[in-house]
Amino acid sequence: MKANKQRKASLGGKVANLFGDITERKRAVEASRINEERYRALFEYAPDGILIADPQSRYIDANMSACRMLGYGRGELVGLGASDIVEPAEVEHIGVALKEIHGGSNYQREWRFRRKDGSVFPAEVIATKLPDGNILGMFRDITEQKSAGQKIRDQLNELLRWQEVMLNREDRVEGLKAEVNEELVRQGKAPRYSSPQ
């Protein structure tokens, strides 16, 4: 009878351990699911475009912002490569960028992207190699920043032009005053204008 109780106790302990293991696995699966949902939400709703590429630079995933900025659906972007979405003049820089990324460096540069409709926009790009060998690329359309910068440069150039006009005008006025004074002195009269300091 004592041996029977010990077997039952041992069996009860094994069942409790089994249920404990199952509970832990369920918790781990649930935690993993929650983490995956968080990751997916961050990926999908990030305001910057995010592209995941394989080591050869073929896109395997894209978020909604990337699709919106480039004018492609996710299914259309998957399978394309960097040379398909940048201006032709940028293609020569892709190899250099991939070499830097695969070398373990974070990569950052301004690129000119080409949308599906053929229109072009400037974007700041940051890319890095992921632990699985794939490439994570994030990009931000900087059209507005560049436009604002150009407006500031244009305004500064206009101000500098007006400054030059005003300085030239001032120089001409001083020259005329000097001529008037010289003419008055030739006529034996006192100069009208004091000489500039």
Side-chain angles (χ1 to χ4, degrees), residues 6-26:
Q6 286 177 339
R7 273 196 301 260
K8 283 184 180 180
S10 174
L11 185 59
K14 287 180 183 177
V15 169
N17 284 342
L18 180 62
F19 283 123
D21 287 347
I22 291 171
T23 302
E24 279 304 309
R25 283 190 200 143
K26 283 183 177 181

Side-chain angles (χ1 to χ4, degrees), residues 5-197:
K5 281 185 178 180
Q6 286 177 339
R7 273 196 301 260
K8 283 184 180 180
S10 174
L11 185 59
K14 287 180 183 177
V15 169
N17 284 342
L18 180 62
F19 283 123
D21 287 347
I22 291 171
T23 302
E24 279 304 309
R25 283 190 200 143
K26 283 183 177 181
R27 283 186 191 142
V29 166
E30 180 63 13
S32 178
R33 184 189 64 74
I34 289 169
N35 284 339
E36 175 64 23
E37 285 176 5
R38 285 182 186 150
Y39 158 78
R40 206 68 199 156
L42 286 170
F43 180 79
E44 286 302 328
Y45 297 103
D48 291 340
I50 301 175
L51 295 166
I52 309 267
D54 65 19
Q56 290 74 42
S57 184
R58 290 277 160 215
Y59 300 123
I60 56 178
D61 205 354
N63 73 348
M64 290 188 301
S65 291
C67 294
R68 180 182 42 74
M69 281 189 262
L70 294 168
Y72 289 96
R74 179 177 279 131
E76 294 174 302
L77 267 174
V78 169
L80 296 180
S83 61
D84 299 311
I85 63 167
V86 297
E87 273 195 320
E90 296 279 23
V91 172
E92 68 186 61
H93 303 291
I94 294 171
V96 174
L98 288 173
K99 186 175 181 180
E100 194 172 319
I101 293 164
H102 287 303
S105 296
N106 290 332
Y107 177 82
Q108 187 170 355
R109 181 177 179 270
E110 182 180 316
W111 287 75
R112 296 200 43 85
F113 282 87
R114 188 181 63 237
R115 294 182 183 95
K116 182 179 176 181
D117 67 8
S119 62
V120 176
F121 68 97
E124 183 179 84
V125 175
I126 299 171
T128 192
K129 185 176 177 180
L130 295 171
D132 64 2
N134 289 329
I135 300 167
L136 168 69
M138 297 186 299
F139 63 99
R140 176 177 292 165
D141 184 340
I142 56 172
T143 302
E144 288 181 20
Q145 292 93 316
K146 291 192 75 85
S147 177
Q150 186 60 48
K151 283 180 185 175
I152 290 169
R153 285 189 294 279
D154 291 346
Q155 288 172 347
L156 179 60
N157 286 336
E158 184 68 9
L159 286 172
L160 290 172
R161 189 181 72 77
W162 277 105
Q163 179 187 23
E164 186 65 28
V165 166
M166 295 307 289
L167 289 175
N168 287 340
R169 181 178 171 267
E170 198 173 297
D171 288 344
R172 284 195 308 266
V173 168
E174 289 302 320
L176 287 171
K177 286 180 179 179
E179 287 179 29
V180 167
N181 282 345
E182 287 172 13
E183 184 58 36
L184 289 171
V185 168
R186 262 196 303 264
Q187 293 177 11
K189 298 178 183 174
R192 180 177 292 171
Y193 302 104
S194 60
S195 59
Q197 274 63 320

